Amino acid sequence: MTVIEIWILSVFIFCPGAVNSDSLQTQILEARQLFPFRSYKDVQLFHYTIPNQVTFASFQYKANGSFHCPSKTVAVYLQYGSYPVMSLQNSTYPNFFAVHRLFLHDVILHSDFVPVMINITNPLPGNWYAAAFLIENTERIAQKGLFTPCLSWLSSSLKFTAAVNVISLLQETEISQTISSTQLYRFFALKNSWSSKIYLTNCSSQDKCPVIIRARQLGLPSANDTNSVSVNCGFSDDCSLNIVPAGNNWNYFSIENDMSGVLHFTLNIRTENCEDSFLDVEDSVKHNDSTDNDINFKSRNSSNVFQHSALCWPNIPLIRISLPTNLAFEYNLPPEEGDVYPFILNISNTKYTLTSFEVLSTVDIGGTLVVELAVSPFMNLSQNNVTVLGCLSYGFRPNSEDTDCADGRRLIANTSSWEHRLSTLFVPYPEAGVWYFRMKAQCYDAYHTNTSLHVIPCELPKTPIFLRIRSTPCVSGHCGKYGTCYQYVSGGLIFSTCNCIAGWKGWGCTDNSTARSNSELMLDVLLLTLSNLLFIPAVVLSAYRRYFTEAFVYFATMTSSAFYHACDAEVYSFCLIRLNVLQFCDFYLAILSIWVTLIAMAKLPNSVQSFVHMAGAVGVALGVEYDRTGLWVFVLPTGIGLIILITSWITRCYRKHLCYPSRRIWLFCLLPGAVLALCGLIIYAFFETKDNYSFVHSIWHATIALSVLFLLPKGKTACKSTPEPTSSCSYIRVGDVGCHDASQPIEGVIHV
């Protein structure tokens, strides 16, 4: 709130006779393409902004898809303050994750142009986010270019109605009110506000005042809202309502007239504040100058800590430190002399200790908030154990009456054992705004178990604890053994998520319900790599027939494919060089193998063959670099090679007046080779799924490698020099094995 707004608020009080009128506004978001959900990286994020005093908001979603495709199922999750956190694929969350969301809504729709709405009464003002994705169960691997893609888009709009008759109230200022139905009010609470009380007096009703007061922090109250507090003055002698205000923000309440007619009364707001002053925070920060396991405490001054009245709790200030990694920051205690940040904090054993910190909008919400609470390991306890209770709440501090932290996230650390001294809490995608953390230490008999605690006075007046509040991508920057942490951007919004492998799933790749065994993973690697060894016969045969260029290409194809699949393996991987380079080599050499095989079958003159080889190598390299997974990068070189092959064969038939190749070659060589290659291509294109990928792709390797044995023509002919200057160059058979028609004479070959 600016100084001008505060000054205006102190001068003007809205008249109670204001006209009840609402303002309708609309936000429209452009359509976004949706993707099937495999992990959180597949979602599309939508961002909305709701101003203050909105009484009704309607989020509309409408999906459409490609006309030639059936309708698809779309899921939309809507969340206030941050990105939605949802459990999908029946997966579990890692330990110590707090995933309960207060303002999460969801809806299912279809890509049939039929709109669906999420209607919210009195939504909280600020940022709202939606995550949308497709729900598909298919695991088939669709080869790019072979199938017409079925695309789906989602368009969204927000319509909301803002109330304009909300009366702003000043603290400690009585105003007279006249209402006939329901009137909305608001008051601004300062940052150090502790407790606010709404008083209603001088009611014109003859009996108890027939009104219901409902109050809520940050947003307008609602009868169906569990976050609102209320009192029915018709059943109470004291027509007042206590509320823990949201500091440095607007707080709202409504007064509903339960009787017919006009009601007059006097209204007042009183707020208890914690005064700012210089305070000697004795023993607030512990300096470890201990000797013989004793603990010595030093005091220091701080101008940022609140002076605490009987109501206020000790409030520990924190300093934000931004880290160089995206979505990473931490809050530390104020530095001492020499800019040294203390790490041990002393908290009271008799009353709560409070601290607060802020999660910034957009830049902070895409990570995971981590709160670590631990009892100091330097404590020397002989007669009692210590339990430290922590309560993390969002938007406003926990109520002192909420001893069990029912409205927040709870942490417990105690000295009963070393593993219990530290308690950690993870909050994925924390909501933007102010968070509060409440702490209290209790002592109990060391000889009692945790299930039967007997609270006793503590040996020491304060308990030293370790408190660390920070944010990291994913789960402390990692995703376990079977996942990798990545950061993505959707709709200009950055977020981190885990990409799981080997069948593991869940928010931190910790759910092994569908995980694959180590033997299955090793079998996949062996199949995909060792199946390339079937190229060895093709390499040997081509070298024996003096096709040295082809032999080298086949050998390079075998090695690059083996190393690529070894590097691309999920767990048992070995990367000789970068995966992207290996992938390029695999696709490039696979297509080049097809090209050189077709050119060898065409039996072109040496000069022409050399040119065609180089042209093909350059063209294939350009195509693979442009789109290595596209259909045309395979079809175009194969089609051009077939055109060259057929043209060469027709030319030979025309020159020799004989059909070339012969029927024997067609029957025993070309037909089996073509069938093998075609079967491999069909299996590769139409039958691959994520489950059978290793088997089907290995069959593809085998069929292509074995087809070369049938398609590669007989050995090349070598020129034999002759002393007669008038004789033309003669040829002899070299490597006269394999598929060739010995019954037909070959031009230029000497028959002995």
Side-chain angles (χ1 to χ4, degrees):
M1 189 175 185
T2 64
V3 176
I4 297 178
E5 289 175 325
I6 297 177
W7 179 80
I8 295 174
L9 184 62
S10 64
V11 175
F12 296 99
I13 298 178
F14 289 92
C15 298
V19 179
N20 293 333
S21 61
D22 293 334
S23 174
L24 179 63
Q25 302 181 45
T26 302
Q27 295 178 12
I28 300 177
L29 279 67
E30 65 178 9
R32 306 271 293 280
Q33 183 180 347
L34 301 179
F35 303 96
F37 184 87
R38 299 291 180 267
S39 65
Y40 208 95
K41 67 180 179 62
D42 300 316
V43 305
Q44 285 283 15
L45 294 178
F46 297 82
H47 176 219
Y48 316 88
T49 302
I50 293 183
N52 291 327
Q53 304 173 188
V54 170
T55 58
F56 180 78
S58 179
F59 298 84
Q60 177 178 284
Y61 298 96
K62 183 168 60 175
N64 64 290
S66 303
F67 291 104
H68 62 278
C69 299
S71 176
K72 295 186 177 183
T73 303
V74 179
V76 179
Y77 287 79
L78 179 67
Q79 169 69 45
Y80 167 74
S82 185
Y83 312 138
V85 174
M86 57 276 187
S87 177
L88 300 171
Q89 301 174 328
N90 295 322
S91 60
T92 60
Y93 293 98
N95 294 331
F96 314 115
F97 259 57
V99 296
H100 175 64
R101 312 292 276 201
L102 295 177
F103 310 104
L104 179 64
H105 309 267
D106 64 276
V107 67
I108 300 294
L109 65 154
H110 300 278
S111 56
D112 52 6
F113 295 93
V114 178
V116 298
M117 270 77 67
I118 298 178
N119 298 324
I120 304 176
T121 302
N122 295 345
L124 287 179
N127 297 314
W128 287 74
Y129 301 90
F133 52 88
L134 295 175
I135 300 178
E136 286 188 357
N137 296 323
T138 178
E139 295 292 327
R140 190 182 72 175
I141 301 176
Q143 302 300 330
K144 183 178 179 181
L146 292 179
F147 303 92
T148 303
C150 292
L151 306 180
S152 298
W153 294 267
L154 181 71
S155 59
S156 175
S157 64
L158 166 63
K159 295 181 180 180
F160 57 86
T161 302
V164 296
N165 64 328
V166 181
I167 299 178
S168 300
L169 302 177
L170 294 177
Q171 305 282 351
E172 304 292 341
T173 302
E174 290 189 352
I175 62 171
S176 298
Q177 292 288 282
T178 301
I179 65 173
S180 58
S181 56
T182 301
Q183 178 61 51
L184 295 173
Y185 302 87
R186 69 175 184 174
F187 64 93
F188 192 85
L190 300 178
K191 183 178 180 180
N192 60 347
S193 298
W194 185 256
S195 177
S196 297
K197 192 169 187 178
I198 304 168
Y199 291 92
L200 193 151
T201 58
N202 301 326
C203 185
S204 62
S205 174
Q206 299 297 328
D207 200 356
K208 296 179 180 179
C209 199
V211 298
I212 298 176
I213 304 177
R214 290 190 177 90
R216 184 187 184 193
Q217 304 90 339
L218 304 175
L220 297 176
S222 174
N224 299 323
D225 184 15
T226 58
N227 299 297
S228 299
V229 294
S230 63
V231 61
N232 192 335
C233 295
F235 300 96
S236 175
D237 295 329
D238 180 20
C239 191
S240 63
L241 180 63
N242 289 316
I243 181 176
V244 177
N248 199 32
N249 218 314
W250 289 103
N251 297 266
Y252 297 83
F253 67 95
S254 64
I255 299 180
E256 178 181 347
N257 186 1
D258 268 1
M259 62 173 260
S260 59
V262 178
L263 190 66
H264 305 275
F265 55 86
T266 302
L267 189 62
N268 190 11
I269 304 293
R270 297 178 186 176
T271 299
E272 295 283 345
N273 297 323
C274 301
E275 300 296 334
D276 288 332
S277 69
F278 291 94
L279 177 64
D280 182 26
V281 191
E282 184 178 2
D283 294 344
S284 64
V285 178
K286 177 230 175 206
H287 303 263
N288 188 12
D289 298 331
S290 59
T291 59
D292 299 332
N293 294 328
D294 292 333
I295 303 175
N296 299 326
F297 298 96
K298 294 183 180 180
S299 62
R300 66 185 182 89
N301 294 328
S302 174
S303 59
N304 297 324
V305 183
F306 294 156
Q307 175 70 41
H308 309 296
S309 65
L311 293 176
C312 300
W313 302 333
N315 197 316
I316 307 300
L318 297 176
I319 294 179
R320 178 189 172 95
I321 300 177
S322 297
L323 302 179
T325 306
N326 289 334
L327 308 174
F329 63 89
E330 63 181 26
Y331 279 92
N332 288 339
L333 296 171
E336 301 172 340
E337 295 80 4
D339 292 333
V340 177
Y341 290 94
F343 60 92
I344 296 294
L345 173 68
N346 291 315
I347 64 172
S348 172
N349 297 330
T350 58
K351 59 181 177 180
Y352 291 117
T353 300
L354 185 68
T355 188
S356 62
F357 59 94
E358 184 177 6
V359 174
L360 302 180
S361 177
T362 305
V363 296
D364 287 351
I365 60 177
T368 301
L369 180 67
V370 185
V371 180
E372 296 171 301
L373 176 66
V375 184
S376 172
F378 305 108
M379 293 189 67
N380 184 13
L381 301 173
S382 59
Q383 299 298 325
N384 62 264
N385 280 328
V386 177
T387 295
V388 179
L389 305 175
C391 183
L392 180 69
S393 65
Y394 170 68
F396 48 90
R397 66 172 175 83
N399 196 318
S400 58
E401 299 177 358
D402 182 16
T403 57
D404 294 331
C405 194
D407 296 332
R409 289 91 164 175
R410 189 178 185 184
L411 289 88
I412 301 177
N414 60 60
T415 58
S416 62
S417 62
W418 281 105
E419 58 268 19
H420 291 152
R421 281 181 177 258
L422 173 64
S423 180
T424 305
L425 181 70
F426 296 91
V427 182
Y429 300 161
E431 294 94 331
V434 180
W435 289 75
Y436 295 85
F437 188 65
R438 184 190 70 185
M439 299 163 285
K440 187 177 181 181
Q442 291 180 341
C443 298
Y444 59 94
D445 194 333
Y447 301 101
H448 283 70
T449 62
N450 291 338
T451 58
S452 178
L453 299 181
H454 177 60
V455 178
I456 61 175
C458 297
E459 297 179 29
L460 301 174
K462 292 180 180 290
T463 298
I465 67 166
F466 168 84
L467 176 64
R468 187 182 186 189
I469 300 173
R470 58 194 175 99
S471 173
T472 65
C474 300
V475 186
S476 297
H478 304 283
C479 297
K481 180 181 178 181
Y482 299 97
T484 307
C485 181
Y486 290 98
Q487 296 183 20
Y488 295 93
V489 176
S490 175
L493 305 170
I494 184 172
F495 62 95
S496 63
T497 186
C498 289
N499 284 351
C500 306
I501 60 174
W504 291 72
K505 59 183 181 180
W507 200 266
C509 301
T510 56
D511 188 338
N512 63 349
S513 59
T514 59
R516 307 185 66 195
S517 64
N518 292 333
S519 59
E520 291 177 321
L521 297 173
M522 180 60 72
L523 178 62
D524 289 348
V525 179
L526 293 177
L527 283 174
L528 291 171
T529 54
L530 298 183
S531 61
N532 289 281
L533 295 179
L534 291 175
F535 273 97
I536 292 179
V539 174
V540 174
L541 180 63
S542 56
Y544 180 75
R545 295 181 179 177
R546 306 183 66 86
Y547 288 101
F548 299 116
T549 300
E550 290 77 2
F552 173 76
V553 172
Y554 299 150
F555 176 78
T557 301
M558 176 184 67
T559 54
S560 64
S561 178
F563 281 118
Y564 166 66
H565 287 292
C567 184
D568 193 43
E570 292 184 324
V571 176
Y572 299 102
S573 62
F574 169 76
C575 293
L576 183 65
I577 53 179
R578 286 187 293 112
L579 178 64
N580 187 56
V581 178
L582 291 172
Q583 186 188 53
F584 172 84
C585 294
D586 180 44
F587 281 83
Y588 172 70
L589 291 170
I591 301 173
L592 191 61
S593 296
I594 299 175
W595 175 261
V596 297
T597 302
L598 293 174
I599 299 304
M601 295 170 62
K603 287 186 171 294
L604 301 174
N606 288 339
S607 57
V608 177
Q609 180 175 292
S610 177
F611 170 76
V612 173
H613 275 166
M614 290 303 301
V618 174
V620 171
L622 291 175
V624 172
E625 180 63 25
Y626 179 76
D627 185 8
R628 64 189 60 173
T629 61
L631 175 64
W632 286 104
V633 74
F634 286 90
V635 171
L636 198 59
T638 303
I640 295 176
L642 287 173
I643 292 175
I644 295 175
L645 173 64
I646 295 173
T647 303
S648 175
W649 284 358
I650 293 176
T651 303
R652 282 176 174 271
C653 293
Y654 176 76
R655 292 174 56 187
K656 295 167 36 176
H657 303 287
L658 290 173
C659 182
Y660 182 85
S662 66
R663 183 179 304 173
R664 179 176 177 272
I665 295 178
W666 277 104
L667 184 61
F668 295 102
C669 297
L670 298 181
L671 186 59
V675 170
L676 274 175
L678 184 61
C679 290
L681 182 62
I682 293 175
I683 292 174
Y684 171 80
F686 299 98
F687 292 95
E688 275 191 357
T689 66
K690 292 186 177 181
D691 292 333
N692 66 13
Y693 173 78
S694 59
F695 294 94
V696 172
H697 202 78
S698 297
I699 295 175
W700 154 257
H701 289 166
T703 54
I704 294 300
L706 295 177
S707 66
V708 175
L709 301 178
F710 293 91
L711 297 178
L712 194 68
K714 66 170 186 172
K716 286 186 177 181
T717 55
C719 181
K720 180 180 179 181
S721 60
T722 178
E724 294 83 359
T726 57
S727 63
S728 61
C729 182
S730 302
Y731 294 87
I732 62 173
R733 296 182 186 273
V734 178
D736 197 8
V737 294
C739 292
H740 65 279
D741 192 353
S743 63
Q744 295 192 21
I746 301 177
E747 181 179 358
V749 176
I750 300 175
H751 293 271
V752 181

